[in-house]
Amino acid sequence: MSAVSLQIIREEHASIAAVLRSLQVLVDQGPGDNPPSFFDGARAILFYIDEFPEREHHPKESEHLFPRVA
């Protein structure tokens, strides 16, 4: 596996972590006076968390990382 492949996987982990931190900030702030906006934001973040890893990230790990670890 190339250093570039590992760097991409690390960057994707960092991106996912940033999205999770954003969700935590959103939840900590709560809906305030605009619940529809709060829930739209939460829905978008949860959609990303559900879809991105499965479609884009996990296949890269399965193809490049896990065979080397095994």
Side-chain angles (χ1 to χ4, degrees):
M1 175 166 39
S2 72
V4 173
S5 298
L6 280 175
Q7 184 61 33
I8 289 169
I9 290 171
R10 283 189 196 107
E11 288 171 0
E12 289 177 355
H13 281 181
S15 295
I16 293 166
V19 170
L20 290 171
R21 284 190 300 274
S22 296
L23 179 60
Q24 185 63 59
V25 169
L26 184 69
V27 169
D28 289 345
Q29 291 177 350
D33 294 335
N34 194 354
S37 179
F38 171 82
F39 288 108
D40 286 345
R43 186 177 301 112
I45 291 170
L46 292 172
F47 178 80
Y48 177 87
I49 292 168
D50 184 49
E51 293 294 320
F52 175 78
E54 202 59 39
R55 282 198 220 169
E56 300 294 328
H57 181 71
H58 292 156
K60 290 174 190 166
E61 288 179 328
S62 294
E63 181 179 344
H64 301 288
L65 179 64
F66 298 148
R68 297 286 183 159
V69 171

Coordinates of all heavy atoms in Angstrom, one line a residue:
M1 N 0.9 -1.2 0.0 CA 0.0 0.0 0.0 C 0.9 1.2 0.0 O 1.9 1.3 0.7 CB -0.9 0.0 1.2 CG -1.7 1.2 1.3 SD -3.1 1.2 2.5 CE -2.5 0.3 3.9
S2 N 0.5 2.2 -0.8 CA 1.3 3.4 -0.9 C 1.1 4.4 0.2 O 0.0 4.3 0.9 CB 1.1 4.1 -2.2 OG -0.2 4.7 -2.2
A3 N 2.0 5.3 0.4 CA 1.9 6.3 1.4 C 0.7 7.2 1.1 O 0.0 7.7 2.0 CB 3.1 7.1 1.5
V4 N 0.4 7.4 -0.2 CA -0.7 8.2 -0.6 C -2.0 7.5 -0.2 O -2.9 8.2 0.3 CB -0.7 8.4 -2.2 CG1 -2.0 9.1 -2.7 CG2 0.5 9.1 -2.6
S5 N -2.2 6.2 -0.3 CA -3.4 5.5 0.1 C -3.6 5.7 1.6 O -4.7 6.0 2.0 CB -3.3 4.0 -0.2 OG -3.2 3.8 -1.6
L6 N -2.5 5.6 2.4 CA -2.7 5.8 3.8 C -3.0 7.2 4.2 O -3.9 7.4 5.1 CB -1.4 5.4 4.5 CG -1.1 3.9 4.8 CD1 0.3 3.7 5.3 CD2 -2.2 3.3 5.7
Q7 N -2.5 8.1 3.4 CA -2.8 9.5 3.7 C -4.3 9.8 3.4 O -4.9 10.5 4.2 CB -1.9 10.5 2.9 CG -2.1 11.9 3.1 CD -1.8 12.3 4.6 OE1 -0.9 11.7 5.2 NE2 -2.5 13.2 5.1
I8 N -4.8 9.3 2.3 CA -6.2 9.5 2.0 C -7.1 8.9 3.1 O -8.0 9.5 3.5 CB -6.5 8.8 0.6 CG1 -5.9 9.6 -0.5 CG2 -8.0 8.7 0.4 CD1 -5.9 8.9 -1.9
I9 N -6.8 7.7 3.6 CA -7.6 7.1 4.6 C -7.5 7.9 5.9 O -8.5 8.2 6.6 CB -7.1 5.6 4.9 CG1 -7.5 4.8 3.7 CG2 -7.7 5.1 6.1 CD1 -7.0 3.4 3.6
R10 N -6.3 8.4 6.2 CA -6.2 9.3 7.4 C -7.0 10.6 7.3 O -7.6 11.0 8.2 CB -4.7 9.6 7.7 CG -3.9 8.5 8.3 CD -2.5 9.1 8.7 NE -1.6 8.0 8.9 CZ -0.6 7.6 8.1 NH1 -0.4 8.3 7.0 NH2 0.1 6.6 8.4
E11 N -6.9 11.2 6.1 CA -7.7 12.4 5.9 C -9.2 12.2 6.0 O -9.9 13.0 6.5 CB -7.3 13.0 4.5 CG -5.9 13.6 4.5 CD -5.5 14.0 3.1 OE1 -6.2 13.8 2.1 OE2 -4.3 14.5 3.0
E12 N -9.6 11.0 5.5 CA -11.1 10.7 5.6 C -11.5 10.5 7.0 O -12.5 10.9 7.4 CB -11.4 9.5 4.7 CG -11.3 9.8 3.2 CD -11.6 8.7 2.3 OE1 -11.7 7.5 2.8 OE2 -11.6 8.9 1.1
H13 N -10.6 9.8 7.8 CA -10.9 9.7 9.2 C -11.0 11.1 9.9 O -11.9 11.3 10.7 CB -9.8 8.9 9.9 CG -9.9 7.4 9.7 ND1 -9.1 6.5 10.3 CD2 -10.8 6.7 9.0 CE1 -9.4 5.3 9.9 NE2 -10.5 5.3 9.1
A14 N -10.1 12.0 9.5 CA -10.1 13.3 10.1 C -11.4 14.0 9.7 O -12.0 14.8 10.5 CB -8.9 14.1 9.7
S15 N -11.9 13.9 8.5 CA -13.1 14.5 8.0 C -14.3 14.0 8.7 O -15.2 14.7 9.1 CB -13.3 14.3 6.5 OG -12.3 14.9 5.8
I16 N -14.3 12.7 8.9 CA -15.5 12.1 9.6 C -15.5 12.6 11.1 O -16.5 12.9 11.6 CB -15.4 10.5 9.5 CG1 -15.7 10.1 8.1 CG2 -16.4 9.9 10.5 CD1 -15.3 8.6 7.8
A17 N -14.3 12.6 11.7 CA -14.2 13.2 13.1 C -14.7 14.6 13.1 O -15.4 15.0 14.1 CB -12.8 13.0 13.6
A18 N -14.3 15.4 12.2 CA -14.8 16.8 12.1 C -16.3 16.9 12.0 O -16.9 17.7 12.7 CB -14.1 17.6 11.0
V19 N -16.9 16.0 11.2 CA -18.4 16.0 11.1 C -19.0 15.6 12.4 O -20.0 16.2 12.8 CB -18.8 15.1 9.9 CG1 -20.3 14.9 9.9 CG2 -18.3 15.7 8.6
L20 N -18.4 14.6 13.1 CA -18.9 14.2 14.4 C -18.8 15.3 15.4 O -19.7 15.5 16.2 CB -18.2 13.0 14.9 CG -18.6 11.7 14.1 CD1 -17.7 10.5 14.5 CD2 -20.0 11.3 14.2
R21 N -17.7 16.1 15.4 CA -17.6 17.2 16.3 C -18.6 18.3 16.0 O -19.2 18.9 16.9 CB -16.2 17.8 16.2 CG -15.1 17.0 16.9 CD -13.8 17.7 17.1 NE -13.2 18.0 15.8 CZ -12.4 17.2 15.1 NH1 -12.2 16.0 15.5 NH2 -11.9 17.6 13.9
S22 N -18.9 18.5 14.7 CA -19.9 19.5 14.3 C -21.3 19.0 14.8 O -22.1 19.9 15.3 CB -20.0 19.6 12.8 OG -18.8 20.1 12.3
L23 N -21.6 17.8 14.8 CA -22.8 17.3 15.3 C -22.9 17.5 16.8 O -24.0 17.9 17.3 CB -23.0 15.8 15.0 CG -24.3 15.1 15.5 CD1 -25.5 15.8 15.0 CD2 -24.3 13.6 15.2
Q24 N -21.8 17.3 17.5 CA -21.8 17.5 19.0 C -22.0 19.0 19.3 O -22.8 19.3 20.2 CB -20.5 17.1 19.6 CG -20.4 17.2 21.1 CD -21.4 16.3 21.7 OE1 -21.4 15.1 21.5 NE2 -22.4 16.8 22.5
V25 N -21.4 19.9 18.5 CA -21.7 21.3 18.7 C -23.1 21.7 18.5 O -23.7 22.4 19.2 CB -20.7 22.2 17.8 CG1 -21.1 23.6 17.8 CG2 -19.3 22.0 18.3
L26 N -23.7 21.1 17.4 CA -25.1 21.4 17.1 C -26.0 20.9 18.2 O -26.9 21.7 18.6 CB -25.4 20.7 15.7 CG -26.8 20.9 15.2 CD1 -27.0 22.4 14.7 CD2 -27.1 20.0 14.1
V27 N -25.8 19.7 18.7 CA -26.6 19.2 19.8 C -26.4 20.0 21.0 O -27.4 20.3 21.7 CB -26.3 17.7 20.0 CG1 -26.9 17.2 21.3 CG2 -26.7 16.9 18.8
D28 N -25.2 20.4 21.3 CA -24.9 21.2 22.5 C -25.7 22.5 22.5 O -26.1 23.0 23.5 CB -23.4 21.4 22.7 CG -22.7 20.2 23.2 OD1 -23.3 19.2 23.6 OD2 -21.4 20.2 23.1
Q29 N -25.7 23.1 21.3 CA -26.4 24.4 21.2 C -27.9 24.3 21.2 O -28.6 25.2 21.5 CB -25.9 25.1 19.9 CG -24.5 25.6 19.9 CD -24.1 26.2 18.6 OE1 -24.7 26.2 17.6 NE2 -22.9 26.8 18.7
G30 N -28.4 23.1 20.7 CA -29.8 22.9 20.7 C -30.5 23.7 19.6 O -29.9 24.4 18.8
P31 N -31.8 23.4 19.5 CA -32.6 24.1 18.4 C -32.8 25.6 18.5 O -33.1 26.2 17.6 CB -33.9 23.3 18.4 CG -34.0 22.7 19.7 CD -32.6 22.5 20.2
G32 N -32.7 26.1 19.8 CA -32.9 27.5 20.0 C -34.3 27.9 19.4 O -35.3 27.2 19.6
D33 N -34.3 29.0 18.7 CA -35.6 29.6 18.2 C -35.9 29.1 16.8 O -36.9 29.5 16.2 CB -35.5 31.1 18.2 CG -35.4 31.7 19.6 OD1 -35.9 31.1 20.5 OD2 -34.9 32.9 19.7
N34 N -35.0 28.2 16.3 CA -35.3 27.8 14.9 C -35.1 26.2 14.8 O -34.2 25.7 14.2 CB -34.2 28.4 14.0 CG -34.6 28.3 12.5 OD1 -35.5 27.6 12.2 ND2 -33.8 29.0 11.7
P35 N -36.1 25.5 15.3 CA -36.0 24.0 15.3 C -35.9 23.5 13.9 O -35.2 22.5 13.7 CB -37.3 23.6 16.0 CG -37.6 24.7 16.9 CD -37.2 26.0 16.2
P36 N -36.6 24.0 12.9 CA -36.5 23.5 11.5 C -35.1 23.5 11.0 O -34.6 22.5 10.4 CB -37.4 24.3 10.7 CG -38.5 24.8 11.6 CD -37.7 25.1 12.9
S37 N -34.4 24.6 11.2 CA -33.0 24.7 10.8 C -32.1 23.7 11.6 O -31.2 23.1 11.0 CB -32.5 26.1 11.0 OG -31.1 26.2 10.6
F38 N -32.3 23.6 12.9 CA -31.6 22.6 13.7 C -31.7 21.2 13.2 O -30.7 20.5 13.0 CB -32.1 22.7 15.1 CG -31.5 21.6 16.0 CD1 -30.3 21.8 16.6 CD2 -32.3 20.5 16.3 CE1 -29.8 20.8 17.4 CE2 -31.8 19.5 17.1 CZ -30.5 19.7 17.7
F39 N -33.0 20.8 12.9 CA -33.2 19.4 12.4 C -32.7 19.2 11.0 O -32.3 18.1 10.7 CB -34.7 19.1 12.7 CG -35.0 18.8 14.1 CD1 -35.8 19.7 14.8 CD2 -34.5 17.7 14.8 CE1 -36.0 19.6 16.2 CE2 -34.7 17.5 16.1 CZ -35.5 18.4 16.8
D40 N -32.8 20.3 10.2 CA -32.2 20.1 8.8 C -30.7 19.9 8.9 O -30.2 19.0 8.2 CB -32.5 21.4 8.0 CG -34.0 21.5 7.5 OD1 -34.7 20.5 7.6 OD2 -34.3 22.6 7.1
G41 N -30.0 20.7 9.8 CA -28.6 20.5 9.9 C -28.3 19.1 10.5 O -27.4 18.4 10.0
A42 N -29.0 18.7 11.5 CA -28.8 17.4 12.1 C -29.0 16.3 11.1 O -28.2 15.3 11.0 CB -29.7 17.2 13.3
R43 N -30.1 16.4 10.3 CA -30.4 15.4 9.3 C -29.3 15.3 8.3 O -28.9 14.2 7.9 CB -31.7 15.8 8.6 CG -32.2 14.7 7.7 CD -33.6 15.0 7.1 NE -34.6 15.2 8.1 CZ -35.2 16.4 8.4 NH1 -34.8 17.5 7.8 NH2 -36.1 16.4 9.3
A44 N -28.8 16.4 7.8 CA -27.7 16.4 6.8 C -26.4 15.8 7.4 O -25.8 15.0 6.7 CB -27.4 17.9 6.4
I45 N -26.1 16.1 8.6 CA -24.9 15.5 9.2 C -25.1 14.0 9.4 O -24.2 13.2 9.1 CB -24.6 16.1 10.6 CG1 -24.1 17.6 10.4 CG2 -23.5 15.3 11.4 CD1 -24.0 18.4 11.6
L46 N -26.2 13.5 9.9 CA -26.5 12.1 10.0 C -26.5 11.4 8.7 O -26.0 10.2 8.6 CB -27.8 11.9 10.8 CG -27.8 12.4 12.3 CD1 -29.1 12.3 12.9 CD2 -26.8 11.5 13.1
F47 N -27.0 12.0 7.7 CA -27.0 11.4 6.3 C -25.6 11.2 5.9 O -25.2 10.1 5.4 CB -27.7 12.3 5.3 CG -27.7 11.7 3.9 CD1 -28.6 10.7 3.6 CD2 -26.8 12.2 3.0 CE1 -28.5 10.2 2.3 CE2 -26.7 11.7 1.7 CZ -27.6 10.7 1.4
Y48 N -24.7 12.2 6.1 CA -23.3 12.1 5.7 C -22.6 10.9 6.5 O -21.9 10.1 5.9 CB -22.6 13.4 6.0 CG -21.1 13.3 5.7 CD1 -20.6 13.6 4.4 CD2 -20.2 13.0 6.7 CE1 -19.2 13.5 4.2 CE2 -18.8 12.9 6.5 CZ -18.4 13.2 5.2 OH -17.0 13.1 4.9
I49 N -22.9 10.9 7.8 CA -22.3 9.9 8.6 C -22.7 8.5 8.2 O -22.0 7.5 8.2 CB -22.6 10.1 10.1 CG1 -21.9 11.4 10.6 CG2 -22.2 8.9 11.0 CD1 -22.3 11.9 11.9
D50 N -24.0 8.4 7.8 CA -24.5 7.1 7.3 C -24.0 6.7 6.0 O -23.7 5.5 5.7 CB -26.0 7.1 7.3 CG -26.7 5.8 7.0 OD1 -26.3 4.8 7.6 OD2 -27.6 5.8 6.1
E51 N -23.9 7.6 5.0 CA -23.6 7.3 3.6 C -22.1 7.3 3.3 O -21.7 6.4 2.6 CB -24.4 8.3 2.7 CG -25.9 8.1 2.8 CD -26.3 6.8 2.2 OE1 -25.8 6.3 1.2 OE2 -27.3 6.2 2.8
F52 N -21.4 8.3 3.7 CA -20.0 8.5 3.2 C -19.2 7.3 3.5 O -18.5 6.8 2.6 CB -19.4 9.8 3.7 CG -18.0 9.9 3.3 CD1 -17.6 10.3 2.1 CD2 -17.0 9.6 4.3 CE1 -16.3 10.4 1.7 CE2 -15.6 9.7 3.9 CZ -15.3 10.1 2.6
P53 N -19.1 6.9 4.8 CA -18.2 5.8 5.1 C -18.5 4.5 4.3 O -17.6 3.9 3.8 CB -18.4 5.5 6.6 CG -18.9 6.9 7.1 CD -19.7 7.4 6.0
E54 N -19.8 4.2 4.2 CA -20.2 3.0 3.5 C -19.9 3.0 2.0 O -19.4 2.0 1.4 CB -21.7 2.7 3.7 CG -22.0 1.3 3.6 CD -21.3 0.3 4.5 OE1 -21.1 0.7 5.7 OE2 -20.9 -0.8 4.1
R55 N -20.1 4.1 1.4 CA -19.9 4.2 -0.1 C -18.5 4.5 -0.5 O -18.0 4.0 -1.5 CB -20.8 5.4 -0.6 CG -22.2 5.0 -0.8 CD -22.8 6.0 -1.7 NE -24.2 6.4 -1.3 CZ -24.9 7.3 -1.8 NH1 -24.4 8.1 -2.7 NH2 -26.1 7.6 -1.3
E56 N -17.8 5.4 0.3 CA -16.5 5.9 -0.1 C -15.3 5.4 0.7 O -14.3 5.0 0.1 CB -16.5 7.4 -0.1 CG -17.5 8.1 -1.0 CD -17.2 7.8 -2.5 OE1 -16.0 7.7 -2.9 OE2 -18.2 7.7 -3.3
H57 N -15.5 5.4 2.0 CA -14.4 5.1 2.9 C -14.1 3.6 3.1 O -13.0 3.1 2.9 CB -14.6 5.8 4.2 CG -13.4 5.7 5.2 ND1 -12.2 6.2 5.0 CD2 -13.4 4.9 6.3 CE1 -11.4 5.9 6.0 NE2 -12.1 5.1 6.8
H58 N -15.1 2.9 3.5 CA -14.9 1.5 3.8 C -14.4 0.6 2.6 O -13.5 -0.2 2.9 CB -16.2 0.9 4.4 CG -16.5 1.4 5.8 ND1 -17.8 1.4 6.3 CD2 -15.7 2.0 6.7 CE1 -17.8 2.0 7.4 NE2 -16.6 2.4 7.7
P59 N -14.9 0.9 1.4 CA -14.3 0.1 0.3 C -12.7 0.4 0.2 O -12.0 -0.6 -0.2 CB -15.0 0.7 -0.9 CG -16.3 1.1 -0.4 CD -16.0 1.7 1.0
K60 N -12.3 1.6 0.4 CA -10.8 1.9 0.3 C -10.1 1.1 1.4 O -9.0 0.5 1.2 CB -10.6 3.3 0.5 CG -11.0 4.2 -0.7 CD -10.8 5.6 -0.4 CE -11.5 6.4 -1.5 NZ -11.7 7.8 -1.1
E61 N -10.6 1.1 2.6 CA -10.0 0.3 3.7 C -10.0 -1.2 3.3 O -9.0 -1.9 3.5 CB -10.7 0.5 5.0 CG -10.5 1.9 5.6 CD -11.3 2.0 6.9 OE1 -12.4 1.4 7.1 OE2 -10.8 2.8 7.8
S62 N -11.1 -1.7 2.8 CA -11.2 -3.1 2.5 C -10.2 -3.5 1.4 O -9.7 -4.6 1.4 CB -12.6 -3.5 2.1 OG -13.5 -3.3 3.2
E63 N -10.0 -2.6 0.4 CA -9.2 -2.9 -0.7 C -7.7 -2.7 -0.4 O -6.9 -3.5 -0.8 CB -9.6 -2.1 -1.9 CG -8.7 -2.4 -3.1 CD -9.1 -1.5 -4.3 OE1 -10.2 -0.9 -4.3 OE2 -8.3 -1.4 -5.3
H64 N -7.4 -1.7 0.3 CA -6.0 -1.3 0.5 C -5.4 -1.6 1.9 O -4.2 -1.9 2.0 CB -5.8 0.2 0.2 CG -6.2 0.6 -1.2 ND1 -5.5 0.2 -2.3 CD2 -7.3 1.3 -1.7 CE1 -6.0 0.7 -3.4 NE2 -7.2 1.3 -3.0
L65 N -6.2 -1.4 2.9 CA -5.6 -1.4 4.3 C -5.7 -2.8 4.9 O -4.7 -3.4 5.3 CB -6.3 -0.4 5.1 CG -5.9 -0.4 6.6 CD1 -4.4 0.1 6.7 CD2 -6.8 0.6 7.4
F66 N -6.9 -3.4 4.9 CA -7.1 -4.6 5.6 C -6.3 -5.8 5.1 O -5.9 -6.6 5.9 CB -8.6 -4.9 5.7 CG -9.4 -3.9 6.5 CD1 -10.7 -3.6 6.2 CD2 -8.8 -3.2 7.5 CE1 -11.5 -2.7 6.9 CE2 -9.6 -2.2 8.2 CZ -10.9 -2.0 7.9
P67 N -6.2 -5.9 3.8 CA -5.4 -7.1 3.3 C -3.9 -7.0 3.8 O -3.3 -8.0 4.1 CB -5.4 -6.9 1.8 CG -6.7 -6.2 1.5 CD -6.9 -5.3 2.7
R68 N -3.4 -5.8 3.9 CA -2.0 -5.7 4.4 C -1.9 -6.0 5.9 O -0.9 -6.5 6.3 CB -1.5 -4.2 4.2 CG -1.4 -3.9 2.7 CD -0.3 -4.5 2.1 NE -0.2 -4.1 0.7 CZ 0.9 -4.2 0.0 NH1 2.0 -4.7 0.5 NH2 0.9 -3.8 -1.3
V69 N -3.0 -5.6 6.6 CA -3.0 -5.9 8.1 C -3.1 -7.4 8.3 O -2.4 -7.9 9.2 CB -4.1 -5.1 8.8 CG1 -4.3 -5.5 10.2 CG2 -3.9 -3.6 8.7
A70 N -3.9 -8.0 7.5 CA -4.1 -9.5 7.7 C -2.9 -10.2 7.3 O -2.5 -11.2 7.9 CB -5.3 -10.0 6.8

